Structure formats: C-alpha cells, structure tokens
C-alpha cells in the first residue's frame, strides 16, 4: 500500500482497524508550523497550558480528591432531559476541524437529505478549502471559509445562519468550541471525548441548560449494527436482568501517533504525556450505557481504575524514530492498558479498557451479560437461554430480526466504520429536521466522558473508587427513550 492509500485506509482510524502504519513519513513544515510551533501554541490561548504539563495539572486540579463525592453545583438553567429540537425543513451545518475525521464526515453530512453545509473552519486553509470544494461538488452553494487562525471558529459560531456545529478537532479544543457554539445559539455535536476535565463537563451541562441548546457527544459506535441489535434485544428482555457489560478502545495507534503526516501535529500523542488513565472511554462506554439505560433508569455511580506501566510508546519510539525527532523530548505517563470498573446504581458492573500503545488486534470488546445469557463481540457471538443450552457460543446473525429500524431502512449506508457514521449523522439530522428529542444529550456526553479525568485520578490514588457525578441532578431515575428509538412518522 502506498502512503496515500494507507492514509485513506487509516482516515477512519478511530473505531475501525487502520491497517499497518509503522513507517515514518516526511513532514510538511509549511502546513504543520501553523499549529505546532511553540509560538503558535502559546499564542493560541486555547487553554492548552504548557504542552508538557499544563493540562495535566489542570486536569488533576479539577478532579475530586480520591473517594470524595463530586457534588453537583447548583443548577443555573432548566433541564435538557426530553427537550426536542425546533423542527426545520433544512439543517444548516458549520464544520470546525477538517482533518482526518472532519474531512471525511463532511461527505456524510452532504449525503443526508435536508442538510446544507454553510460554513467550514480549519486554520490549515488548504484543508478548509478542500472541504469547501466538496460542498460545491455536491451541488450546494459555496460555504463560508474560516481559516484565519486558531480563533476563527468563534466567528463561525457567531453566524446567524447555522443551526448545528460539528466539532472534529484535537481533544483540548472540544470544550472551548462546544462552549462557543452554544453561546452562539447553535446546537453542537462534538467528537469524543466532549472535554478533558470534570469542571468542563459541568460547565457544558450548565451551558446546555442555560442556552437551551443541545450539546451532544457524537458517539458513532452507539450506532453500530451489532450495538443497536444488542440494545434492542436487551430492552426486550432477551438477556434477562442485566448484570454486567464491557467496552473498550483497544486499537494499536502507535504508527499513526508517530506519523508526522497523519494527525495535524502531535496532539494525540501529547495527551499520553499528561494523563495516566483512559483517554478515550466513549466508544466502549456509550453502547454499554445505552444497553443499561444509564441516565434513563440507572446511573453510573463510581469508577475504580488500574493502569499498567507506560512503556509502549517509548519502546516504539526507540525502534522507529530518528534521534533528532521532537518526540524524544516527551515522557509518556498514560498507562499502556487501563482497566476500569464502573458500578451502577442498580449494582451492575461495567468494565472499560483502553490501550492504544501496544500491539494487539482491534477490539471494542462490546459485551453484555444478564440472568439469561451473554453477548460478546470481536468476534460476535451469543449464548442465551432457552435458545442455547449446550455451553457453546452461537451465531449472532440468527438474531437479525432484532435489528434497529435505522439498519433495516439503510441496508448499505455510505461512509466508513461499517456505516455507523452515516447512521449517526442521518439520525441527528433527522431529529433536528423533525423536531424530535435527540437520542442522547449533554448528560450522556458528560457521563460517557467522565472516565477521562476520573480514571486518571483513580490510578493516581492506587485504584481508589472515584464518584461519578450525577450530571442529571436526579433525573436519571426517570425511564425515557434514547437510542432505542421508534421510527418517526413522515
Ligand atoms: N468517532 C470516531 O470514529 C473518530 C474517528 C477519528 C477521529 N475522531 C475524533 O475526531 C477528532 C479529530 O481527529 P482527527 O483524526 O481528524 O485529527 P486531525 O489532526 O487529522 O484533525 C484535526 C483538525 O483540527 C484542526 N484544528 C486544529 N486547531 C483548530 C482550530 N483552532 N480551529 C479549527 N480547526 C482546528 C486541524 O488543523 C486539523 O485539520 C478527535 O477528537 C478524534 O478523537 C473520532
């Protein structure tokens, strides 16, 4: 595979295997210097702190002390539980961040009927303009291009003709961008994780409640075909009373993280110098939380995390990176494998794993067990009574009748990750057009992301359980619909 083909395959890196990505490529200094010179980062004023340590200390400062209850701050607005979108015939979208993810997701927004991309933003002008060209190639008017530096997204968020902002930028930018979008009166969908600190999660909850704008974690894995089938089977009682589940982001990203041409700068690798715990819990946690109706009848109450030594990235660097590579200045602290146990209010247990720095085949684990049986993914297999009684795993494809209506309606969805990305974009846009309650809200975004700061804190406290805040402020007890939606009429 040549470099272009490899990058195209890896473009969809997050939930799906990326293929071999070991060798180092040439760096284009003219493009990269926009974002990653020391002056550029320092001048950006986006809350990065020093790249080596500022964010770590901020994250540590924001996490509660070991075992201390994370008290809910006083509510300043009104709940966003069950709040529908205003209906509209066309959803006008602004996209911030047009790298690997944003640059491919734009095609899915353009493929959904009733959606117009009206503005695009990336300080790397070439990327913003390539995205704009995709919009016109799709037969839509040329979008406004925001490429004048690190803060131009604020101008996009101030426009009066945007309904929804999609954020696909480095993690440290998700919070200020989600905030700017809501303050600008837009609903916002953010790539994972929605923020990196506990105080930021609370601030997003408060802002969503005050501005009446939805702030959604665009967790595409919740829309996977298997995940949605298991969800429907779980809610129909096929697993009996639910007891345990597991999810993970176990994806060998060493090659991509050291590849100077893949990400726009080393932002992802640098997070391994700042936090010890699970940097990317959402792909594993989101689907299992949905199976268990977390925030809709159950609640994630506490998390205890354990981390292995952090050796994988340093070992990879030693083997593959030249002696003058800037990465040699970095000290990695993020555990190679993080294992977390979450306890729910109903006493269920969820296991989360994160490992992007050692060799292993791709897995999100995706398992669910109850009093009548168990499902496990990678590879998919099932065992539920009374269908199975012989101690042997059985074929999950026999349960296709339980597929979610989205998957019955879109048998061959376009785009990557087996179609889950399109399913998610289609459904979010459908909810916005028809004026429906979104499948997930700011409380889910905050809950699914809370393991980022809390696993770090727990590992530092030698595995002591950390309280997960009740971002719903008591409303988790109410049963309500979520991903397991009915097909809307019309
Ligand atoms: N859900 C998924 O399956 C999935 C898959 C891949 C990536 N992601 C997420 O998408 C996000 C982006 O990842 P990526 O692989 O595309 O990274 P990337 O480095 O390729 O892209 C990030 C883009 O953000 C731009 N950017 C940086 N600062 C900006 C600013 N101030 N204003 C506007 N744009 C700015 C960069 O120029 C770059 O084009 C991450 O949060 C990642 O976790 C999710």
């Amino acid at each position: 595979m040549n470099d272009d083909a490899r990058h195209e395959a890896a473009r969809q890196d997050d939930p799906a295997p990326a293929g071999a990505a070991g060798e180092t490529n040439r760096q284009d200094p003219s493009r990269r210097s926009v974002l990653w010179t020391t002056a550029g980062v320092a001048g950006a004023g986006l809350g990065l702190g020093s790249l080596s340590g500022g964010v770590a200390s901020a994250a540590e400062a924001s996490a509660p002390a070991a075992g201390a209850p994370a008290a809910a701050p006083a509510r300043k607005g009104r709940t966003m539980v069950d709040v529908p979108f205003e209906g509209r015939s066309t959803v006008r979208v602004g996209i911030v961040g047009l790298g690997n993810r944003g640059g491919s997701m734009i095609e899915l927004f353009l493929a959904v009927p009733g959606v117009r991309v009206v503005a695009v933003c990336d300080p790397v002008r070439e990327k913003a303009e390539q995205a704009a060209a995709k919009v016109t190639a799709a037969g839509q008017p040329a979008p406004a291009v925001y490429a004048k530096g690190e803060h131009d997204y604020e101008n996009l968020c101030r426009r009066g003709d945007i309904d929804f902002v999609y954020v696909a930028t480095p993690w440290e930018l998700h919070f200020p961008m989600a905030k700017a979008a809501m303050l600008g009166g837009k609903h916002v969908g953010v790539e994972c994780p929605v923020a990196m600190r506990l105080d930021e999660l609370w601030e997003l909850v408060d802002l969503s409640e005050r501005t009446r704008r939805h702030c959604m974690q665009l967790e595409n894995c919740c829309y996977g075909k298997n995940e949605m089938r298991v969800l429907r089977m779980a809610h129909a009682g096929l697993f009996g009373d639910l007891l345990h589940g597991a999810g993970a982001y176990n994806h060998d990203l060493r090659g991509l993280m050291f590849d100077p041409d893949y990400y726009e700068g080393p932002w992802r690798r640098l997070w391994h110098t700042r936090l010890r715990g699970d940097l990317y819990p959402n792909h594993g946690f989101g689907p299992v939380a949905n199976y268990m109706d977390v925030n809709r009848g159950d609640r994630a109450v506490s998390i205890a995390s354990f981390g292995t030594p952090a050796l994988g990235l340093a070992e990879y660097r030693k083997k593959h990176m030249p002696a003058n590579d800037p990465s040699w200045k970095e000290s990695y602290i993020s555990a190679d494998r993080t294992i977390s146990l979450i306890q729910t209010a109903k006493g269920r247990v969820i296991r989360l794993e994160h490992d992007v720095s050692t060799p292993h085949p791709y897995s999100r684990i995706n398992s669910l067990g109850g009093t009548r049986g168990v499902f496990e993914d990678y590879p998919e297999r099932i065992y539920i009574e009374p269908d199975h009684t012989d101690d042997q795993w059985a074929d999950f494809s026999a349960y296709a009748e339980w597929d979610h209506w989205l998957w019955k309606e879109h048998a061959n969805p376009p785009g990557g990750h087996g179609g889950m990305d399109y399913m998610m974009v289609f459904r979010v846009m459908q909810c916005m057009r028809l004026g429906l309650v979104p499948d997930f809200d700011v409380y889910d975004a905050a809950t699914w992301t809370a393991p980022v700061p809390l696993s770090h804190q727990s590992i530092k406290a030698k595995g002591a359980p950390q309280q997960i805040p009740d971002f719903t402020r008591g409303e988790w007890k109410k049963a309500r619909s979520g991903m397991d939606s009915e097909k809307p009429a019309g």
Side-chain angles (χ1 to χ4, degrees), residues 9-10 44 64 105 243 295 311 405 422 439 475:
M105 287 290 278
L243 299 170
N295 293 338
L311 304 176
W405 64 267
Y422 179 80
D439 291 349
E475 286 176 291

Side-chain angles (χ1 to χ4, degrees), residues 10 13 30 101 151 185 213 218 220 223 225 248 256 263 285 303 305 334 366 378 396 417 420 434-435 441:
D13 80 295
S30 58
R101 182 63 172 164
H151 287 273
R213 300 294 88 186
L218 291 189
N220 48 339
Y223 287 88
K225 192 172 190 177
L256 293 181
Y263 297 107
F285 193 9
I303 181 168
S305 303
S334 215
N366 186 27
Y378 303 92
F396 187 55
H417 296 146
M420 62 168 82
L434 300 183
D441 51 33

Side-chain angles (χ1 to χ4, degrees), residues 64-68 276 303-306 453-466:
R276 297 191 190 176
I303 181 168
S305 303
F306 301 87
L454 294 179
S455 63
H456 168 79
Q457 198 64 21
S458 178
I459 289 172
K460 276 185 53 189
K462 301 193 179 348
Q466 307 295 307

Side-chain angles (χ1 to χ4, degrees), residues 137-473:
Q140 297 193 5
V145 171
Y146 292 85
K148 292 194 184 129
E150 293 289 297
H151 287 273
D152 217 11
Y153 73 89
E154 292 165 4
N155 295 320
L156 179 148
C157 291
R158 281 190 202 109
R159 285 178 72 96
D161 62 351
I162 292 179
D163 306 304
F164 176 80
V165 174
Y166 169 56
V167 176
T169 55
W171 300 337
E172 55 274 17
L173 301 178
H174 290 179
F175 169 70
M177 289 173 168
K179 195 171 157 177
M182 284 190 278
L183 288 172
K186 281 83 182 156
H187 301 290
V188 61
V190 186
E191 275 302 339
C192 317
V194 73
M196 302 306 276
R197 294 166 36 166
L198 213 50
D199 58 345
E200 293 175 346
L201 295 178
W202 272 118
E203 200 170 332
L204 292 179
V205 168
D206 280 339
L207 265 179
S208 178
E209 291 179 342
R210 279 203 290 124
T211 58
R212 317 307 297 152
R213 300 294 88 186
H214 278 296
C215 173
M216 293 169 287
Q217 177 78 82
L218 291 189
E219 183 30 82
N220 48 339
C221 300
C222 293
Y223 287 88
K225 192 172 190 177
N226 284 358
E227 283 85 347
M228 293 199 106
R229 189 187 293 174
V230 172
L231 174 73
R232 293 204 59 239
M233 292 173 66
H235 287 181
L238 271 74
F239 294 96
D241 288 324
L242 302 184
L243 299 170
H244 59 91
Y249 190 61
N250 291 338
H251 187 182
D252 181 359
L253 291 180
R254 293 171 303 164
L256 293 181
M257 282 199 284
F258 280 99
D259 180 343
D261 284 336
Y262 185 68
Y263 297 107
E264 190 63 51
W267 64 264
R268 190 161 189 157
R269 195 177 69 231
L270 288 175
W271 275 103
H272 288 255
T273 67
R274 298 173 185 147
L275 291 179
R276 297 191 190 176
D278 189 334
L279 299 173
Y280 209 61
N282 313 59
H283 289 336
F285 193 9
V288 179
N290 292 332
Y291 305 153
M292 296 186 178
D293 286 315
V294 166
N295 293 338
R296 288 161 179 74
D298 200 355
R299 176 168 110 68
V301 169
S302 67
I303 181 168
S305 303
F306 301 87
T308 68
L311 304 176
L313 293 186
E315 192 170 312
Y316 184 92
R317 177 178 60 190
K318 193 169 169 194
K319 204 160 158 196
H320 296 276
M321 305 310 287
N324 60 352
D325 190 79
S327 65
W328 281 99
K329 297 201 177 92
E330 298 161 5
S331 301
Y332 307 112
I333 61 166
S334 215
D336 280 333
R337 183 157 297 210
T338 308
I339 301 177
S340 302
L341 294 177
I342 291 174
Q343 179 95 63
T344 78
K346 289 191 170 173
R348 298 156 172 166
V349 176
I350 301 171
R351 185 177 97 255
L352 298 182
E353 292 185 14
H354 177 262
D355 183 343
V356 296
S357 49
T358 69
H360 51 74
Y362 181 91
S363 173
R364 295 198 303 274
I365 299 180
N366 186 27
S367 81
L368 180 69
T371 53
R372 280 180 57 184
V374 63
F375 167 82
E376 286 186 9
D377 222 332
Y378 303 92
E380 60 190 34
R381 53 210 191 274
I382 190 163
Y383 186 90
I384 47 175
E385 290 177 343
D387 300 5
H388 316 120
T389 52
D390 60 354
D391 261 351
Q392 301 296 315
W393 287 108
D395 184 4
F396 187 55
S397 64
Y399 293 85
E401 68 187 279
W402 290 99
D403 276 341
H404 194 278
W405 64 267
L406 277 168
W407 280 96
K408 288 184 176 158
E409 194 151 287
H410 303 273
N412 293 304
H417 296 146
M420 62 168 82
D421 293 344
Y422 179 80
M423 246 22 133
M424 175 181 71
V425 174
F426 173 86
R427 176 64 181 162
V428 173
M429 294 295 105
Q430 179 185 57
C431 289
M432 288 195 69
R433 278 191 298 113
L434 300 183
L436 306 175
V437 175
D439 291 349
F440 37 71
D441 51 33
V442 71
Y443 309 110
D444 302 309
T447 305
W448 301 344
T449 300
V452 173
L454 294 179
S455 63
H456 168 79
Q457 198 64 21
S458 178
I459 289 172
K460 276 185 53 189
K462 301 193 179 348
Q466 307 295 307
Q467 303 299 306
I468 300 175
D470 173 14
F471 294 104
T472 72
R473 296 177 170 101

